[in-house]
Structures are given as structure tokens and as C-alpha cells.
Amino acid sequence: MSLNNQVLDKPISAELPYVEANLSYLVPMAEKPVNYTYEPPPGIPRTNATYQTHKLPIYNARSISENISLDREGFAFTGHNTNVRNFYDEDEVRRVYYPEAEQLLKKVTGATKVIIFDHTLRNASQSKPGENNIKEPALRVHNDFTAKSGYTRARLELAARGIDDIDTLLKQRFAIINVWRAIATPIQESPLAVCDAQSIPPTDLVAGDLVYRDRVGETYGITYNSKHKWFYFPQMHREEALFIKCFDSAEDGYARFAAHTAFEDPTSPANAPPRESIELRTFVFYPA
């Protein structure tokens, strides 16, 4: 049975171990949030948004991982071996990891077509903005795409690949799913937390502009709600994969937006090495 067809049959309860951590949420605002991905011109702030931390339980989902569903909770987890030796080698990632992930996603989701269109490496000790493409962990609650930008980015990427009849392709159900993985030692510092999409009312999703040098994207900031249910998979290592659904074109009950954020784990050792991870962004096209 594929992960997306499984149903959560173990209730979330205090029986699951958890940590309490501060998560950074968007403070409600009158204007549209704007975030620059680069240093903006003088006099323009990097962002007009403000964030506030709220302490919440983040449940260890390892014991229920086989019962968590991309279509219900908006995220899923599995063991998966990779033949990549060096994730910092751009060519090797595209040549080895992209095909691995494509086959994995087809197996997990039942998709007929998978297109990997982007990847991000994160390592705070190696991140040099403006000099390399390695980023620090993102320590605010967000979702990578909106109901609008899921389609906008799909059209952009499909056109860039010379794919014909884009309109017909986008009339069938498709999703944007991130594939997230540790690439070095098991993660202790800044692990990733994922919010059960069922616990996020649409009113908590705030569309904001993400400004690049050559285009403007749109992402969701998330406002605080005590009903949000957060989970993580502690000590993730390179032979495991976490799937996060950032967009689903279906509007008939499937999970659509699973918010996520890195967080400061209070149980992390003071001398823990910086988190090293990679996330792929992918289009997953379901059978018509």
C-alpha cells in the first residue's frame, strides 16, 4: 500500500513523546507580507513582516510514521537508501539523486509523472549569501507555495522544459512535494517540524510576496493557532526521507498545505554539529 493511501489509525495523544519549543509565527498585518531573497536597495527593509514565538509541543512521530499520509496529514516518512556520495556535488545530485527521488515519489504517491525542478542545501556553517547557494535552516513557520503560486510555478517550469499542452496537464490533479533528507551525521541541531495540514484552517494562511532578482514568487506565512499539531522525526539520517506537501491542486478533501519550520530543539547538545540537509521541490502528477 502506498503511503498516500494509508490512514492515521493511532490517535495523537500525550502517549507520544514530545519536546516543547518556540516556533516563530507571522504576526497578523494589514498589508501583504514581502520578503526579499537578497539584500534589497537602500531604504527598503528585507521584510515588512514581524514574527512572534509561541511555545508548542512537537510530537515525535517515529512510532506512527507508517500510518501518516501525504493525502491526510500532508507529510510522510520512509527509509530510503541513496547512492549519492557527496550531496555538495551539484552534478552528482542531479545525475544520481534526482532519478532516485523520482522513482521513490512514483512509488510513494502512485504518480504517473514526476518533475524535480529545484533543490536547496542547508548548512549554517557553510552558508555564504551571495557567494554560494547553501542556506541556513529556515526558522519561521511557512509553506513554500500558495493556491495561486502552485499553478504559476508549474507553468513556468513546464514551459522552460518545452512541455506541450500545459493547460491540459494542469487540469489533472498535481501536487508540489518536497523531499527532505539529512546529508551527513544524524540531525541534532535545527531539526524540521511539520504541521498536520488538517489542523491548519485556511484563515491561518497568509499569502506573501517572495522577491527574487528576476521574479516574484508567493508563499504562505502562517499565523498562530493553538490547534496546530506539530510533529518531527528526531535524529534523521541520510538513509531516511521526509515528504512535505506544499501544494495540491485538488480541493476536495486532500491535504493541500503542510506548514513547516526548523526549530531549536531543547534536547540538542550544546556542541551539536550544524544541521546538513537537502530538500528537493517536485511536481507530482497523479493518474487522470
Side-chain angles (χ1 to χ4, degrees), residues 68-262:
I68 291 175
S69 157
L70 270 167
D71 280 350
R72 182 178 170 119
E73 288 78 31
F75 64 98
F77 177 86
T78 189
H80 177 254
N81 294 332
T82 176
N83 290 314
V84 177
R85 292 173 297 175
N86 179 14
F87 278 98
Y88 293 101
D89 183 330
E90 177 90 6
D91 177 70
E92 185 178 12
V93 167
R94 293 181 180 274
R95 178 172 46 83
V96 180
Y97 192 46
Y98 277 30
E100 287 180 346
E102 180 180 333
Q103 292 306 309
L104 176 62
L105 279 164
K106 285 182 177 179
K107 179 181 178 182
V108 166
T109 65
T112 55
K113 185 181 186 68
V114 173
I115 297 174
I116 299 170
F117 63 93
D118 182 38
H119 74 265
T120 301
L121 290 163
R122 297 190 188 272
N123 181 338
S125 67
Q126 293 191 28
S127 177
K128 295 180 181 179
E131 296 182 29
N132 63 24
N133 292 322
I134 301 173
K135 298 182 179 181
E136 295 184 354
L139 288 163
R140 67 175 187 272
V141 180
H142 68 285
N143 187 76
D144 294 7
F145 294 91
T146 68
K148 173 185 174 182
S149 67
Y151 285 99
T152 303
R153 189 65 182 273
R155 289 185 178 277
L156 181 69
E157 297 294 340
L158 293 174
R161 286 160 174 77
I163 294 176
D164 295 327
D165 207 2
I166 293 174
D167 287 341
T168 299
L169 193 58
L170 295 186
K171 285 178 182 176
Q172 71 183 80
R173 183 189 171 205
F174 74 99
I176 300 177
I177 296 174
N178 288 6
V179 183
W180 196 95
R181 180 187 296 263
I183 61 176
T185 57
I187 289 175
Q188 300 177 71
E189 188 263 347
S190 297
L192 190 72
V194 186
C195 191
D196 182 346
Q198 300 172 107
S199 71
I200 308 174
T203 50
D204 295 345
L205 304 171
V206 181
D209 287 338
L210 186 62
V211 182
Y212 298 88
R213 294 186 185 275
D214 59 343
R215 63 184 176 87
V216 178
E218 189 177 70
T219 63
Y220 279 135
I222 316 295
T223 55
Y224 172 70
N225 188 323
S226 62
K227 295 182 180 179
H228 291 167
K229 299 297 183 185
W230 287 95
F231 300 89
Y232 80 126
F233 298 87
Q235 302 283 322
M236 275 189 69
H237 56 79
R238 74 192 310 273
E239 307 302 337
E240 297 175 325
L242 173 63
F243 308 95
I244 308 166
K245 190 190 288 183
C246 294
F247 170 85
D248 196 321
S249 65
E251 300 180 35
D252 53 354
Y254 291 106
R256 300 193 72 199
F257 310 107
H260 49 282
T261 180

Side-chain angles (χ1 to χ4, degrees), residues 264-275:
E264 294 184 7
D265 185 346
T267 67
S268 176
N271 62 346
R275 182 243 275 183

